[in-house]
Amino acid sequence: MTFVLVHSPSVGPSTWAPVGAALERRGHAAVVPDLTGVTAGPAPYWPRVVAAVRAAAPETPLVLVAHSNAGLFLPVVKEGLGERVVACVFADAHLPPARGLVRAGQEGFLPFLRELAGPDGVLPRWTDWWSEEDVAPMFPADAAVRERVVAEQPRLPLGFYTDPIPVPAGWDAVRCSCLWYGPPYDTVAEEARRRGWPVLRTPGMHLHQLVDPEEVAGALLRLSRKS
């Protein structure tokens, strides 16, 4: 079984690399697909997300783990990988609906994004959306970790957040679960519980997988096992 750690396209693979290493130290295979190039070219962008994950995923049973807005791509990624997917874990991630269409940008958040976008319709890097007071506590004390994460962030077009993503019916027939760190994903955890999914919390901020990768790796192992 291989853990496929899917980062938000707003950031980069370094946000999952420490957890991948922690899983491997425990004897589990893990891969971190690189999604930083998925907006190179016109919309739709979701087929490039699927292609990037498929290129990285081995021919083994797979546990898909999504962080942040990568959760909204998980159904279409799962469909692209077929029956190899045995579980989906949403780690401080948005939950897609059961079917239909969804967008990476929530309707109430789009005015904020439109203000940030430049005349060319391209957004600043994700960590530049917020103040230093907001950003600094999300990272560990090791400055090199923050430097790597910041350096690899793409500048996404506003259209990435408005482009419809298909949600195939039946995507949630496999074991699905939710790992959350803290607000505002407490509301996501409540929705996961309503769906009857296992829910686990490892207290922290939105990039907690960088701060305590061992704890997050342990939580992913617990959530991916059938009870």
Side-chain angles (χ1 to χ4, degrees):
M1 190 169 70
T2 302
F3 286 83
V4 182
L5 307 174
V6 186
H7 68 83
S8 162
S10 306
V11 287
S14 290
T15 53
W16 269 131
V19 172
L23 287 166
E24 289 174 349
R25 283 192 293 273
R26 296 175 185 222
H28 300 276
V31 295
V32 184
D34 186 345
L35 307 184
T36 54
V38 297
T39 59
Y45 305 113
W46 66 263
R48 294 190 203 109
V49 174
V50 175
V53 178
R54 194 160 47 199
E59 295 290 331
T60 65
L62 306 172
V63 176
L64 295 182
V65 183
H67 177 242
S68 196
N69 63 30
L72 300 173
F73 292 89
L74 223 55
V76 73
V77 167
K78 176 185 174 290
E79 182 179 57
L81 292 169
E83 294 183 0
R84 282 179 286 164
V85 178
V86 297
C88 295
V89 183
F90 292 80
D92 230 40
H94 298 294
L95 304 187
R99 63 183 62 82
L101 293 172
V102 72
R103 290 173 172 79
Q106 296 175 322
E107 197 61 37
F109 194 55
L110 289 177
F112 172 75
L113 295 179
R114 291 189 178 105
E115 274 193 33
L116 284 177
D120 57 357
V122 177
L123 292 156
R125 299 177 304 183
W126 178 73
T127 49
D128 294 332
W129 297 3
W130 322 106
S131 69
E132 178 64 13
E133 287 180 351
D134 293 324
V135 172
M138 289 193 286
F139 287 92
D142 186 348
V145 173
R146 178 171 175 176
E147 288 171 9
R148 279 195 300 273
V149 171
V150 169
E152 73 182 5
Q153 291 175 111
R155 293 189 61 207
L156 298 177
L158 179 62
F160 170 79
Y161 293 94
T162 59
D163 187 39
I165 307 160
V167 182
W171 69 267
D172 52 356
V174 298
R175 176 181 172 85
C176 293
S177 57
C178 174
L179 171 65
W180 67 290
Y181 306 149
Y185 287 87
D186 47 345
T187 58
V188 171
E190 289 168 10
E191 171 60 22
R193 288 190 187 97
R194 281 195 292 271
R195 297 186 189 190
W197 298 0
V199 175
L200 186 62
R201 186 183 183 195
T202 57
M205 301 190 72
H206 192 46
L207 297 178
H208 188 59
Q209 68 266 33
L210 290 171
V211 175
D212 197 340
E214 293 292 342
E215 181 183 32
V216 171
L220 295 182
L221 288 169
R222 291 196 293 277
L223 286 171
S224 63
R225 293 178 184 134
K226 290 184 179 179
S227 55

